[in-house]
Amino acid sequence: MTKLTETQTTILSAGAQRRDNIAMPLPKGLHGAAAKMVVTKMIDHGWLQEVDADLRRSEPLWRETGDGHGTTLAITDAGLLAIGIEPVVVQTMAAIRKNANIAPAPKPPTPRAGTKQALLIALLQAPEGATMEAIIAATNWQAHTARGVISGALKKKLGLVVTSEKDLRRGRVYRISQPD
């Protein structure tokens, strides 16, 4: 096993802590021919590799390829092993960081028992449904309030499927139908 210089250790250690194990930027004070010599030696050992730079994510460039694109330096599994880090650990940490940014699915709201909203749901779940007059009589709401609760609370917040149809005898009848 080759002994790492202080500069090589610094490059690999810093890169191991970055997203996608990007080794750029190099340590301060390392530029020009010295940087090229160190990086070339590390590429020869298999500790670094040149990869296409994702300019949309503002990844730092190692060199430009001349066609409007560039490359950056990434640490290989051998480079991680050279500083004593298991590649599996790095992949696991990357997955943890990625999944930490994903918010858990919100818990769907559930109606409370004994409220006017629960009474409205019971009326609408009846096989015969409910007319606006029956809803107004049961809840003591005005018609616009009942329609707002059906549209806002039941449909949008609770995700219930409320249908309405014209009945020649009773007028407009509202029902909660089962989703397909």
Side-chain angles (χ1 to χ4, degrees):
M1 182 170 171
T2 307
K3 185 169 171 34
L4 297 173
T5 66
E6 186 177 330
T7 303
Q8 292 169 336
T9 304
T10 303
I11 292 170
L12 293 175
S13 298
Q17 297 173 20
R18 294 188 189 111
R19 178 176 41 95
D20 297 333
N21 294 337
I22 300 297
M24 297 295 293
L26 295 175
K28 291 191 185 313
L30 183 63
H31 6 250
K36 184 174 183 180
M37 188 172 66
V38 170
V39 168
T40 302
K41 191 173 233 182
M42 293 177 77
I43 290 173
D44 290 344
H45 283 295
W47 299 331
L48 291 179
Q49 67 180 1
E50 284 190 67
V51 295
D52 290 331
D54 189 350
L55 299 178
R56 290 176 290 168
R57 291 189 341 196
S58 301
E59 287 180 347
L61 292 177
W62 164 241
R63 64 183 180 91
E64 291 186 27
T65 57
D67 57 354
H69 296 90
T71 61
T72 191
L73 299 171
I75 300 176
T76 63
D77 288 349
L80 293 172
L81 288 171
I83 57 172
I85 298 175
E86 288 291 325
V88 175
V89 172
V90 173
Q91 293 167 357
T92 303
M93 290 305 295
I96 289 170
R97 282 188 214 118
K98 179 182 175 187
N99 291 333
N101 295 336
I102 299 172
K107 181 182 161 199
T110 55
R112 294 180 305 174
T115 62
K116 289 184 180 182
Q117 181 178 327
L119 175 63
L120 176 60
I121 291 172
L123 287 171
L124 298 177
Q125 285 178 332
E128 66 276 1
T131 63
M132 188 54 66
E133 290 76 25
I135 294 170
I136 292 170
T139 60
N140 202 24
W141 284 335
Q142 294 183 6
H144 70 275
T145 303
R147 285 190 298 272
V149 170
I150 289 171
S151 173
L154 301 187
K155 287 183 175 181
K156 292 178 183 173
K157 288 188 179 176
L158 296 178
L160 299 173
V161 179
V162 181
T163 59
S164 70
E165 57 189 40
K166 188 81 165 175
D167 186 324
L168 294 176
R169 257 184 334 104
R170 299 171 57 199
R172 184 150 304 274
V173 178
Y174 296 88
R175 287 187 182 87
I176 292 179
S177 61
Q178 299 303 320
D180 296 332

